[in-house]
Amino acid sequence: MAAGRTHHEGGCYCGAIRYRISGEPTFSAHCHCRSCQRALGGAFVTWAVVALKNFEVVRGVIKTCEKTKGIHRGFCGDCGTTLTYAAKNEVEGEDWSKDAWFTAASLDDPAIVTPKNHVYVSHKQPWITLNDGLPCFEKF
C-alpha cells in the first residue's frame, strides 16, 4: 500500500489475525528494552502508534499476556506473532491505553512507518550498532 491511503492492513504470520488502521501512524520507535527482546525473541522491535479508535481487528481474536501488572502484550494464539502492546501502569504513571501500539513489521507494508528514535538503549545488545542518526534515549 502506498502512503497517503486512508487505511492500511496487517496481521500475523499465519493469517489468523488481521487488523486495519485508519490513517498513518502518529509515532514509531525502535525499542531495545529487555522485556521486548524476550517477548519477541529479537534484539529490538519497531513499534508504531495510532489512536485506539483507528485500530480495528478485522479477523480473529488477539490473545494477550500480562506478565507485568498493567502491561498487555497481544499476539496470535496460533502462530505466536506479537502484534500489540498496551500499558497502564498506575505505579509509574504510564497510561498508553488510549493509543494502539502495534508492531510495524506486522503491517502488510511496513514502509509506511518512519521510526523517530531508539528507546531503552540502556538495554541494547552490545552486538547492535546504531548508526542511523536517530536520537537515542536510555529509557522511553
Side-chain angles (χ1 to χ4, degrees):
M1 285 184 216
R5 291 186 121 185
T6 58
H7 293 88
H8 300 281
E9 294 192 3
C12 67
Y13 181 66
C14 73
I17 307 285
R18 295 292 298 162
Y19 66 83
R20 178 180 300 128
I21 62 169
S22 300
E24 304 298 316
T26 57
F27 178 75
S28 178
H30 303 297
C31 182
H32 297 265
C33 81
R34 190 67 183 122
S35 179
C36 281
Q37 291 172 13
R38 288 184 152 219
L40 280 85
F44 62 93
V45 62
T46 305
W47 293 105
V49 181
V50 294
L52 190 58
K53 67 180 182 175
N54 293 336
F55 184 90
E56 173 187 15
V57 176
V58 294
R59 180 169 63 221
V61 176
I62 296 176
K63 293 190 175 190
T64 61
C65 174
E66 184 183 13
K67 181 180 179 287
T68 303
K69 186 176 175 51
I71 296 176
H72 299 268
R73 290 181 180 275
F75 61 97
C76 173
D78 292 337
C79 68
T81 301
T82 297
L83 296 166
T84 61
Y85 179 92
K88 186 169 186 177
N89 186 332
E90 295 175 8
V91 174
E92 295 186 21
E94 295 176 344
D95 185 359
W96 296 350
S97 61
K98 295 177 182 138
D99 293 314
W101 290 71
F102 58 95
T103 53
S106 68
L107 283 163
D108 293 344
D109 182 7
I112 69 159
V113 174
T114 303
K116 304 294 184 208
N117 54 50
H118 293 270
V119 297
Y120 284 101
V121 294
S122 57
H123 299 188
K124 179 184 73 62
Q125 293 304 309
W127 34 266
I128 295 292
T129 302
L130 302 179
N131 61 3
D132 57 13
L134 293 176
C136 295
F137 299 95
E138 292 295 306
K139 293 195 174 198
F140 191 85

